[in-house]
Amino acid sequence: MNAPLLTTPRVEPFFFDAEPGTRFSLYHAPNPHVAPRGAILYVHPFAGELSRTRRMAALQSRAFAALGYAVLQIDLFGCGDSCGEFNAGRWQIWQEDLVLAANWLAERESGPLTLWGLRLGGLLALDTAARLDARCVLLWQPYMSGRACINQFLRLSEQLQDPAPGAPRSTAALRAQLAVHGAIEVGGFEVAVPLVKAIDACDAAHVVLPPCPVHWFAYGGPAPAKVAASAARLAERWRPFGASLHFHPLEGSPLWSGDGELDCPGLRAATCALFSGEPA
């Protein structure tokens, strides 16, 4: 694969050779003036949330690098600037992308690996953590149920926003339409049945984790107690694996879907405060 030479701290764009095609990536070299802390692999969110949060993720990646972490951001197959159409994306291919990216990082940084996932990227990180022997998992406002993610995605459909006579009026109706046609387009992103089935089948309560800390940062929105209760249940489910869940509640309710860029300075500040302590 093509890769940057490590000389001075920088942000370096490049492409992975992968199967199929190539993956666009950004490597943030660690600050050479501080003790190295390990590597962080970023797992981006789903569909339009990727572009909406790209700047926020880049700002946090730079902050991590300043603290001494080697950080890699990768656009998964069919997403962002990587090759492939979005409707060709598959959960298994995305997992293979993360394995490839983690191996690339391991060749350059021998320290512990942290998987950092945003939204659906958080669930993908959890589902891949054991395979990568991650030493820490960082979750930003994650979906803990793949089915909930797909339902939220379908709610953005123009067919539900402004339904024409005879058009689907519920996510169940859109799912029926998807089953008949094999794919459905929402907000310019077409998803196919195989990806939807794989995402639907993934649930944080059933993933197998390595023995590591999991830091979950979440905005409670209108029901903070409900989110905290969900975290407590997951902590019990993961404890037998040796995984320890640390829940970090935040105030507010950002709008993750929509136009334009989204930034959450409070989330970034809280994350830096945690990771500026002992290496994760």
Side-chain angles (χ1 to χ4, degrees):
M1 64 182 67
N2 301 321
L5 297 175
L6 296 182
T7 53
T8 57
R10 65 187 181 280
V11 179
E12 181 75 21
F14 68 103
F15 284 86
F16 279 111
D17 294 326
E19 182 61 40
T22 58
R23 307 291 183 270
F24 176 74
S25 303
L26 284 175
Y27 176 67
H28 303 257
N31 181 354
H33 304 296
V34 300
R37 291 174 173 268
I40 296 178
L41 176 57
Y42 174 64
V43 191
H44 64 67
F46 186 64
E49 291 184 3
L50 165 58
S51 58
R52 183 160 167 75
T53 59
R54 191 181 285 277
R55 179 175 177 273
M56 176 171 64
L59 290 173
Q60 185 60 51
S61 295
R62 293 171 194 167
F64 279 142
L67 291 172
Y69 293 94
V71 186
L72 186 65
Q73 296 179 261
I74 177 174
D75 286 357
L76 302 171
F77 175 71
C79 303
D81 293 319
S82 287
C83 76
E85 297 297 324
F86 189 76
N87 63 6
R90 298 292 183 269
W91 195 255
Q92 184 177 2
I93 295 178
W94 291 349
Q95 289 186 309
E96 294 299 328
D97 286 350
L98 296 182
V99 171
L100 182 66
N103 288 340
W104 185 90
L105 268 174
E107 292 174 359
R108 289 150 183 84
E109 172 53 59
S110 60
L113 173 67
T114 293
L115 288 179
W116 161 35
L118 173 59
R119 305 288 282 158
L120 184 64
L123 187 57
L124 180 56
L126 288 169
D127 199 34
T128 317
R131 185 174 176 185
L132 298 181
D133 193 26
R135 300 301 179 85
C136 179
V137 179
L138 169 62
L139 305 174
W140 271 13
Q141 198 68 25
Y143 281 105
M144 292 307 196
S145 160
R147 189 171 184 85
C149 175
I150 293 299
N151 283 342
Q152 180 58 36
F153 174 71
L154 292 175
R155 289 187 188 102
L156 301 176
S157 171
E158 291 183 359
Q159 297 184 67
L160 296 187
Q161 301 295 328
D162 187 19
R169 293 179 177 273
S170 67
T171 58
L174 289 175
R175 283 178 175 276
Q177 185 182 95
L178 169 66
V180 170
H181 297 287
I184 193 169
E185 184 271 328
V186 175
F189 294 89
E190 185 179 77
V191 292
V193 165
L195 178 59
V196 170
K197 283 186 174 180
I199 294 175
D200 275 347
C202 193
D203 191 296
H206 304 299
V207 299
V208 176
L209 292 175
C212 71
V214 178
H215 292 281
W216 177 0
F217 286 86
Y219 291 92
K226 182 178 179 180
V227 180
S230 176
R233 288 192 298 270
L234 282 174
E236 289 299 318
R237 294 294 296 265
W238 293 344
R239 188 169 289 115
F241 302 124
S244 56
L245 177 59
H246 306 271
F247 182 59
H248 308 272
L250 299 167
E251 293 184 359
S253 184
L255 183 62
W256 296 98
S257 301
D259 298 325
E261 294 180 340
L262 173 68
D263 189 19
C264 301
L267 173 58
R268 291 193 288 108
T271 301
C272 284
L274 174 68
F275 278 75
S276 61
E278 290 298 317

